Coordinates of all heavy atoms in Angstrom, one line a residue:
M1 N 0.8 -1.2 0.0 CA 0.0 0.0 0.0 C 0.9 1.2 0.0 O 1.8 1.4 0.8 CB -0.9 0.0 1.2 CG -2.1 -0.9 1.1 SD -3.2 -0.9 2.5 CE -3.3 0.6 3.2
G2 N 0.6 2.1 -0.9 CA 1.3 3.4 -1.0 C 0.7 4.4 -0.1 O -0.4 4.3 0.5
P3 N 1.3 5.6 -0.1 CA 0.8 6.7 0.8 C -0.5 7.2 0.3 O -1.3 7.6 1.1 CB 1.9 7.7 0.7 CG 2.8 7.3 -0.4 CD 2.6 5.9 -0.7
L4 N -0.8 7.2 -1.0 CA -2.1 7.6 -1.5 C -3.2 6.8 -1.0 O -4.3 7.3 -0.6 CB -2.0 7.7 -3.0 CG -3.3 8.3 -3.7 CD1 -3.5 9.7 -3.2 CD2 -3.2 8.2 -5.2
E5 N -3.0 5.4 -1.0 CA -4.1 4.5 -0.5 C -4.3 4.7 1.0 O -5.5 4.7 1.4 CB -3.7 3.1 -0.8 CG -3.8 2.7 -2.3 CD -2.5 2.9 -3.0 OE1 -1.5 3.3 -2.3 OE2 -2.4 2.7 -4.2
I6 N -3.3 4.9 1.8 CA -3.4 5.2 3.2 C -4.2 6.4 3.5 O -5.1 6.5 4.3 CB -2.0 5.2 3.9 CG1 -1.4 3.8 3.8 CG2 -2.2 5.6 5.3 CD1 0.0 3.7 4.3
I7 N -3.9 7.5 2.7 CA -4.6 8.8 2.9 C -6.0 8.6 2.5 O -6.9 9.1 3.2 CB -3.9 9.9 2.1 CG1 -2.5 10.2 2.6 CG2 -4.8 11.1 2.0 CD1 -1.7 11.1 1.8
L8 N -6.3 7.9 1.5 CA -7.7 7.6 1.0 C -8.5 6.9 2.1 O -9.6 7.2 2.4 CB -7.7 6.9 -0.3 CG -9.1 6.6 -0.9 CD1 -9.8 7.9 -1.2 CD2 -8.9 5.7 -2.1
I9 N -7.9 5.9 2.7 CA -8.5 5.1 3.7 C -8.8 5.9 5.0 O -9.9 5.9 5.5 CB -7.6 3.9 4.1 CG1 -7.6 2.9 3.0 CG2 -8.1 3.2 5.4 CD1 -6.7 1.7 3.1
V10 N -7.9 6.8 5.4 CA -8.1 7.7 6.5 C -9.2 8.7 6.2 O -10.0 8.9 7.1 CB -6.7 8.4 6.8 CG1 -7.0 9.5 7.9 CG2 -5.7 7.5 7.4
V11 N -9.3 9.2 5.0 CA -10.3 10.1 4.7 C -11.7 9.4 4.7 O -12.7 10.0 5.2 CB -10.1 10.8 3.3 CG1 -11.3 11.5 2.8 CG2 -8.9 11.7 3.4
V12 N -11.8 8.2 4.2 CA -13.0 7.5 4.2 C -13.5 7.2 5.6 O -14.6 7.3 6.0 CB -12.9 6.2 3.3 CG1 -14.1 5.3 3.5 CG2 -12.7 6.5 1.9
I13 N -12.5 6.8 6.5 CA -12.9 6.5 7.9 C -13.3 7.8 8.6 O -14.3 7.8 9.3 CB -11.6 5.9 8.6 CG1 -11.4 4.5 8.1 CG2 -11.9 5.9 10.1 CD1 -10.1 3.8 8.6
A14 N -12.7 8.9 8.3 CA -13.1 10.2 8.9 C -14.5 10.6 8.4 O -15.3 11.1 9.2 CB -12.1 11.3 8.5
L15 N -14.8 10.3 7.2 CA -16.1 10.6 6.7 C -17.2 9.7 7.3 O -18.3 10.2 7.6 CB -16.2 10.5 5.2 CG -15.4 11.6 4.4 CD1 -15.4 11.3 2.9 CD2 -16.1 13.0 4.6
I16 N -16.9 8.5 7.5 CA -17.8 7.5 8.0 C -18.1 7.8 9.5 O -19.2 7.8 10.0 CB -17.4 6.1 7.8 CG1 -17.4 5.8 6.3 CG2 -18.2 5.1 8.6 CD1 -16.8 4.4 5.9
F17 N -17.0 7.9 10.3 CA -17.2 8.0 11.8 C -17.2 9.4 12.3 O -17.6 9.7 13.4 CB -16.0 7.2 12.4 CG -16.1 5.7 12.2 CD1 -15.2 5.1 11.3 CD2 -17.1 5.0 12.8 CE1 -15.3 3.7 11.1 CE2 -17.2 3.6 12.6 CZ -16.3 3.0 11.7
G18 N -16.7 10.4 11.5 CA -16.7 11.7 12.0 C -15.4 12.0 12.7 O -14.7 11.1 13.3
A19 N -15.0 13.3 12.7 CA -13.7 13.6 13.3 C -13.7 13.5 14.8 O -12.6 13.2 15.4 CB -13.3 15.1 12.9
R20 N -14.8 13.6 15.5 CA -14.9 13.5 16.9 C -14.7 12.0 17.4 O -14.2 11.8 18.5 CB -16.2 14.0 17.4 CG -16.4 15.5 17.2 CD -17.7 15.9 17.7 NE -17.9 17.3 17.4 CZ -19.0 18.0 17.6 NH1 -20.0 17.4 18.2 NH2 -19.1 19.3 17.3
K21 N -15.1 11.1 16.6 CA -14.9 9.7 17.0 C -13.6 9.1 16.7 O -13.2 8.0 17.2 CB -16.0 8.8 16.3 CG -17.4 9.1 16.7 CD -17.7 8.5 18.0 CE -19.2 8.8 18.4 NZ -19.5 8.2 19.7
L22 N -12.8 9.7 15.9 CA -11.5 9.2 15.5 C -10.5 8.9 16.7 O -9.9 7.9 16.8 CB -10.8 10.1 14.5 CG -11.4 10.0 13.1 CD1 -10.6 10.9 12.2 CD2 -11.4 8.6 12.6
P23 N -10.4 9.9 17.7 CA -9.6 9.6 18.9 C -10.0 8.3 19.6 O -9.2 7.5 20.1 CB -9.6 10.8 19.7 CG -10.0 11.9 18.8 CD -10.9 11.3 17.7
E24 N -11.4 8.2 19.8 CA -11.9 7.0 20.5 C -11.6 5.7 19.7 O -11.2 4.7 20.3 CB -13.4 7.2 20.7 CG -13.8 8.3 21.6 CD -15.3 8.5 21.6 OE1 -16.0 7.5 21.4 OE2 -15.7 9.6 21.9
L25 N -11.7 5.8 18.4 CA -11.4 4.6 17.6 C -9.9 4.2 17.7 O -9.6 3.1 17.8 CB -11.8 4.8 16.1 CG -13.2 4.9 15.8 CD1 -13.5 5.3 14.4 CD2 -13.9 3.5 16.0
G26 N -9.1 5.3 17.7 CA -7.6 5.0 17.8 C -7.3 4.4 19.2 O -6.4 3.5 19.3
K27 N -7.9 4.9 20.2 CA -7.7 4.4 21.6 C -8.1 3.0 21.7 O -7.4 2.1 22.2 CB -8.4 5.3 22.6 CG -8.2 4.9 24.0 CD -9.0 5.8 24.9 CE -8.8 5.3 26.4 NZ -9.5 6.2 27.3
G28 N -9.3 2.7 21.1 CA -9.8 1.3 21.2 C -8.9 0.4 20.4 O -8.6 -0.8 20.8
L29 N -8.4 0.8 19.2 CA -7.5 0.0 18.4 C -6.2 -0.3 19.1 O -5.7 -1.4 19.1 CB -7.3 0.7 17.1 CG -6.4 0.0 16.1 CD1 -7.1 -1.3 15.6 CD2 -6.1 0.8 14.9
G30 N -5.7 0.8 19.8 CA -4.4 0.6 20.5 C -4.6 -0.4 21.7 O -3.7 -1.2 21.9
Q31 N -5.7 -0.3 22.4 CA -5.9 -1.2 23.5 C -6.1 -2.6 23.0 O -5.6 -3.6 23.6 CB -7.2 -0.8 24.3 CG -7.0 0.5 25.1 CD -8.2 0.9 25.8 OE1 -9.3 0.5 25.4 NE2 -8.1 1.8 26.8
G32 N -6.7 -2.8 21.9 CA -6.9 -4.1 21.3 C -5.6 -4.7 20.9 O -5.3 -5.9 21.1
I33 N -4.7 -3.9 20.3 CA -3.4 -4.4 19.8 C -2.6 -4.7 21.1 O -1.9 -5.8 21.1 CB -2.7 -3.3 18.9 CG1 -3.4 -3.2 17.6 CG2 -1.2 -3.7 18.7 CD1 -2.9 -2.1 16.7
R34 N -2.6 -3.9 22.1 CA -1.9 -4.2 23.3 C -2.3 -5.5 24.0 O -1.5 -6.3 24.4 CB -2.1 -3.0 24.3 CG -0.8 -2.3 24.6 CD -0.9 -1.2 25.6 NE -1.4 0.0 24.9 CZ -2.5 0.7 25.2 NH1 -3.3 0.3 26.2 NH2 -2.9 1.7 24.5
E35 N -3.6 -5.7 24.1 CA -4.2 -6.9 24.6 C -3.7 -8.1 23.8 O -3.4 -9.2 24.3 CB -5.7 -6.9 24.7 CG -6.2 -6.1 25.8 CD -6.0 -6.7 27.1 OE1 -6.1 -7.9 27.3 OE2 -5.7 -6.0 28.1
F36 N -3.8 -8.0 22.5 CA -3.4 -9.1 21.6 C -1.9 -9.5 21.8 O -1.5 -10.6 22.0 CB -3.6 -8.7 20.1 CG -3.2 -9.8 19.2 CD1 -4.0 -10.9 19.0 CD2 -2.0 -9.7 18.4 CE1 -3.6 -11.9 18.1 CE2 -1.7 -10.7 17.5 CZ -2.4 -11.8 17.4
K37 N -1.0 -8.4 21.9 CA 0.4 -8.7 22.1 C 0.6 -9.3 23.4 O 1.5 -10.2 23.6 CB 1.2 -7.4 22.0 CG 1.4 -6.9 20.6 CD 2.2 -5.7 20.5 CE 2.4 -5.2 19.1 NZ 3.2 -3.9 19.1
K38 N -0.1 -8.9 24.5 CA 0.1 -9.4 25.8 C -0.3 -10.9 25.8 O 0.4 -11.7 26.4 CB -0.8 -8.6 26.8 CG -0.8 -9.1 28.2 CD -1.7 -8.3 29.1 CE -1.9 -9.0 30.4 NZ -3.0 -8.5 31.1
E39 N -1.4 -11.2 25.2 CA -1.9 -12.6 25.2 C -1.0 -13.5 24.4 O -0.8 -14.7 24.7 CB -3.3 -12.7 24.7 CG -4.3 -12.1 25.6 CD -4.4 -12.7 26.9 OE1 -4.3 -13.9 27.0 OE2 -4.6 -12.0 27.9
T40 N -0.4 -13.0 23.3 CA 0.5 -13.8 22.5 C 1.8 -14.1 23.2 O 2.4 -15.1 23.1 CB 0.7 -13.3 21.1 OG1 1.2 -11.9 21.2 CG2 -0.6 -13.3 20.3
T41 N 2.3 -13.1 23.9 CA 3.6 -13.2 24.7 C 3.4 -14.1 25.9 O 4.3 -14.7 26.3 CB 4.2 -11.9 25.0 OG1 3.3 -11.1 25.8 CG2 4.6 -11.1 23.8
D42 N 2.2 -14.1 26.5 CA 1.9 -14.8 27.7 C 1.5 -16.3 27.4 O 1.2 -17.0 28.2 CB 0.8 -14.2 28.6 CG 1.3 -12.9 29.2 OD1 2.5 -12.7 29.3 OD2 0.5 -12.2 29.7
A43 N 1.5 -16.6 26.1 CA 1.0 -17.9 25.7 C 2.0 -19.0 26.1 O 1.6 -20.2 26.3 CB 0.9 -18.0 24.1
D44 N 3.2 -18.7 26.4 CA 4.2 -19.7 26.8 C 4.0 -20.1 28.3 O 4.4 -21.1 28.7 CB 5.6 -19.1 26.7 CG 6.0 -18.8 25.3 OD1 5.4 -19.4 24.4 OD2 6.9 -17.9 25.1
K45 N 3.3 -19.2 29.1 CA 3.1 -19.5 30.5 C 1.8 -20.3 30.6 O 0.8 -20.0 30.0 CB 2.9 -18.2 31.2 CG 4.1 -17.3 31.2 CD 3.8 -16.0 31.9 CE 5.0 -15.1 31.7 NZ 4.7 -13.7 32.2
P46 N 1.8 -21.4 31.4 CA 0.6 -22.2 31.6 C -0.4 -21.4 32.4 O -0.1 -20.7 33.3 CB 1.1 -23.4 32.3 CG 2.3 -23.0 33.0 CD 3.0 -21.9 32.1
V47 N -1.7 -21.5 31.9 CA -2.8 -20.9 32.6 C -3.6 -21.9 33.3 O -4.3 -22.7 32.6 CB -3.6 -20.0 31.6 CG1 -4.7 -19.3 32.3 CG2 -2.7 -19.0 30.9
T48 N -3.6 -21.9 34.6 CA -4.4 -22.9 35.3 C -5.1 -22.1 36.5 O -4.5 -21.2 37.1 CB -3.7 -24.0 35.9 OG1 -2.6 -23.5 36.8 CG2 -3.0 -24.9 34.8
D49 N -6.3 -22.5 36.8 CA -7.0 -21.9 37.9 C -7.4 -22.9 39.0 O -8.1 -22.6 39.9 CB -8.2 -21.1 37.5 CG -9.2 -21.9 36.7 OD1 -8.8 -23.1 36.4 OD2 -10.3 -21.5 36.4
V50 N -6.9 -24.1 38.8 CA -7.1 -25.2 39.8 C -5.8 -25.8 40.2 O -4.8 -25.8 39.4 CB -8.1 -26.3 39.2 CG1 -9.5 -25.7 38.9 CG2 -7.5 -26.9 38.0
N51 N -5.8 -26.3 41.4 CA -4.6 -27.0 41.8 C -4.4 -28.3 41.1 O -5.4 -29.0 40.9 CB -4.6 -27.2 43.4 CG -4.6 -25.9 44.1 OD1 -4.1 -24.9 43.6 ND2 -5.2 -25.9 45.3
S52 N -3.2 -28.7 40.8 CA -3.0 -30.0 40.2 C -3.1 -31.1 41.2 O -2.8 -30.9 42.4 CB -1.7 -30.0 39.4 OG -0.6 -29.8 40.4
R53 N -3.5 -32.3 40.7 CA -3.5 -33.4 41.6 C -2.7 -34.6 41.0 O -2.5 -34.6 39.8 CB -5.0 -33.9 41.8 CG -5.9 -32.9 42.4 CD -7.2 -33.5 42.8 NE -8.0 -33.7 41.5 CZ -9.2 -34.3 41.5 NH1 -9.7 -34.7 42.6 NH2 -9.8 -34.4 40.4
Q54 N -2.2 -35.5 41.9 CA -1.5 -36.6 41.4 C -2.3 -37.5 40.6 O -3.5 -37.7 40.9 CB -0.9 -37.3 42.5 CG 0.3 -36.7 43.2 CD 1.0 -37.6 44.2 OE1 0.3 -38.4 44.8 NE2 2.3 -37.4 44.3
L55 N -1.7 -38.2 39.6 CA -2.5 -39.1 38.8 C -2.1 -40.5 39.2 O -1.0 -40.8 39.6 CB -2.1 -38.9 37.3 CG -2.5 -37.6 36.7 CD1 -2.1 -37.6 35.2 CD2 -4.0 -37.4 36.8
D56 N -3.1 -41.4 39.1 CA -2.9 -42.8 39.4 C -1.9 -43.4 38.4 O -2.2 -43.2 37.2 CB -4.2 -43.6 39.5 CG -4.0 -45.0 39.9 OD1 -3.6 -45.8 39.1 OD2 -4.3 -45.3 41.1
P57 N -0.8 -44.0 38.8 CA 0.1 -44.5 37.8 C -0.4 -45.6 36.9 O 0.0 -45.8 35.8 CB 1.3 -45.0 38.6 CG 0.8 -45.1 40.0 CD -0.4 -44.3 40.1
V58 N -1.4 -46.3 37.3 CA -2.0 -47.4 36.5 C -3.1 -46.9 35.6 O -3.0 -47.2 34.4 CB -2.6 -48.5 37.5 CG1 -3.2 -49.6 36.6 CG2 -1.5 -49.1 38.3
T59 N -4.0 -46.2 36.1 CA -5.2 -45.8 35.3 C -5.0 -44.4 34.7 O -5.6 -44.1 33.7 CB -6.5 -45.8 36.1 OG1 -6.3 -44.8 37.2 CG2 -6.8 -47.2 36.7
G60 N -4.2 -43.6 35.3 CA -4.0 -42.2 34.8 C -5.1 -41.3 35.3 O -5.2 -40.1 34.9
A61 N -6.0 -41.8 36.1 CA -7.1 -40.9 36.7 C -6.6 -40.1 37.9 O -5.7 -40.6 38.6 CB -8.3 -41.8 37.1
P62 N -7.2 -39.0 38.1 CA -6.7 -38.2 39.3 C -7.0 -39.0 40.6 O -8.1 -39.6 40.8 CB -7.6 -37.0 39.2 CG -8.1 -36.9 37.9 CD -8.2 -38.3 37.4
M63 N -6.0 -39.0 41.5 CA -6.2 -39.7 42.8 C -6.9 -38.7 43.7 O -6.8 -37.5 43.6 CB -4.8 -40.0 43.3 CG -4.1 -41.1 42.5 SD -2.4 -41.5 43.0 CE -2.5 -41.8 44.7
A64 N -7.5 -39.3 44.7 CA -8.1 -38.6 45.8 C -7.1 -37.8 46.5 O -6.0 -38.2 46.7 CB -8.9 -39.5 46.7
D65 N -7.5 -36.6 47.0 CA -6.6 -35.7 47.8 C -6.3 -36.4 49.1 O -7.3 -36.5 50.0 CB -7.2 -34.4 47.9 CG -6.2 -33.4 48.5 OD1 -5.0 -33.7 48.7 OD2 -6.6 -32.2 48.8
V66 N -5.1 -36.8 49.4 CA -4.8 -37.5 50.6 C -4.6 -36.5 51.8 O -4.7 -36.9 52.9 CB -3.5 -38.4 50.5 CG1 -3.8 -39.5 49.5 CG2 -2.4 -37.6 50.1
T67 N -4.4 -35.3 51.5 CA -4.3 -34.3 52.6 C -5.6 -33.8 53.2 O -5.7 -33.4 54.3 CB -3.5 -33.1 52.1 OG1 -4.2 -32.4 51.1 CG2 -2.1 -33.5 51.7
A68 N -6.7 -34.0 52.4 CA -8.0 -33.5 52.9 C -8.5 -34.5 53.8 O -8.5 -35.7 53.6 CB -8.9 -33.3 51.7
Q69 N -9.0 -34.1 55.0 CA -9.7 -34.9 55.9 C -11.2 -34.9 55.7 O -11.7 -33.8 55.6 CB -9.3 -34.5 57.4 CG -7.8 -34.5 57.7 CD -7.3 -35.9 57.7 OE1 -8.0 -36.8 58.1 NE2 -6.1 -36.1 57.3
P70 N -11.8 -36.0 55.8 CA -13.3 -36.0 55.6 C -13.9 -35.3 56.8 O -13.5 -35.4 58.0 CB -13.7 -37.5 55.6 CG -12.5 -38.2 56.1 CD -11.3 -37.3 55.9
V71 N -15.0 -34.6 56.6 CA -15.7 -33.9 57.6 C -16.5 -34.9 58.4 O -17.3 -35.6 57.9 CB -16.6 -32.8 57.0 CG1 -17.4 -32.1 58.1 CG2 -15.8 -31.8 56.2
S72 N -16.2 -34.9 59.7 CA -16.9 -35.9 60.6 C -18.3 -35.3 60.9 O -18.5 -34.1 61.0 CB -16.2 -36.2 61.8 OG -16.0 -35.0 62.6
D73 N -19.2 -36.2 61.1 CA -20.6 -35.9 61.5 C -20.6 -35.5 63.0 O -20.7 -36.4 63.8 CB -21.5 -37.0 61.1 CG -23.0 -36.5 61.3 OD1 -23.3 -35.3 61.2 OD2 -23.8 -37.4 61.5
R74 N -20.5 -34.3 63.3 CA -20.5 -33.9 64.7 C -21.9 -33.6 65.1 O -22.6 -32.7 64.6 CB -19.7 -32.6 64.9 CG -18.2 -32.8 64.5 CD -17.5 -31.6 64.8 NE -16.1 -31.7 64.2 CZ -15.2 -30.8 64.2 NH1 -15.6 -29.6 64.6 NH2 -14.1 -31.0 63.7
R75 N -22.3 -34.2 66.2 CA -23.6 -34.0 66.7 C -23.5 -33.5 68.2 O -22.9 -34.2 69.0 CB -24.5 -35.2 66.7 CG -24.8 -35.7 65.3 CD -25.6 -36.9 65.3 NE -25.7 -37.3 63.9 CZ -26.5 -38.3 63.5 NH1 -27.3 -38.8 64.3 NH2 -26.5 -38.6 62.2
S76 N -24.0 -32.4 68.5 CA -23.8 -31.8 69.8 C -25.1 -31.7 70.5 O -26.1 -31.5 70.0 CB -23.2 -30.4 69.8 OG -22.2 -30.2 68.9

């Protein structure tokens, strides 16, 4: 794309959205690009929201949490 095409695109956008909306559009576009870059660079980091549990070596199923104590039925 040459400079003439870029100028033409900017003029068309200004006509469609109006000069008052252009700063808001630019801000929104900038935030979107920033979020996209952040998500693509953070893609290497694992995202988990639950604690991991040990897997049964035979079946591969998650094992019961051995540190958790069952709640006893207390009657007072």
Side-chain angles (χ1 to χ4, degrees):
M1 282 181 36
L4 184 60
E5 288 90 5
I6 293 174
I7 292 172
L8 181 63
I9 291 172
V10 170
V11 168
V12 169
I13 291 174
L15 289 174
I16 292 173
F17 294 106
R20 293 182 186 173
K21 293 284 184 178
L22 287 179
E24 293 175 26
L25 288 172
K27 182 179 177 181
L29 181 64
Q31 287 176 345
I33 291 172
R34 245 181 275 122
E35 283 289 322
F36 179 75
K37 285 183 180 180
K38 178 183 167 194
E39 293 299 322
T40 55
T41 57
D42 289 345
D44 299 335
K45 300 176 186 174
V47 179
T48 58
D49 57 351
V50 295
N51 294 333
S52 60
R53 295 189 290 177
Q54 284 187 328
L55 297 179
D56 186 281
V58 176
T59 62
M63 293 174 50
D65 190 7
V66 293
T67 60
Q69 299 293 329
V71 178
S72 63
D73 188 25
R74 297 182 189 171
R75 295 180 187 190
S76 319

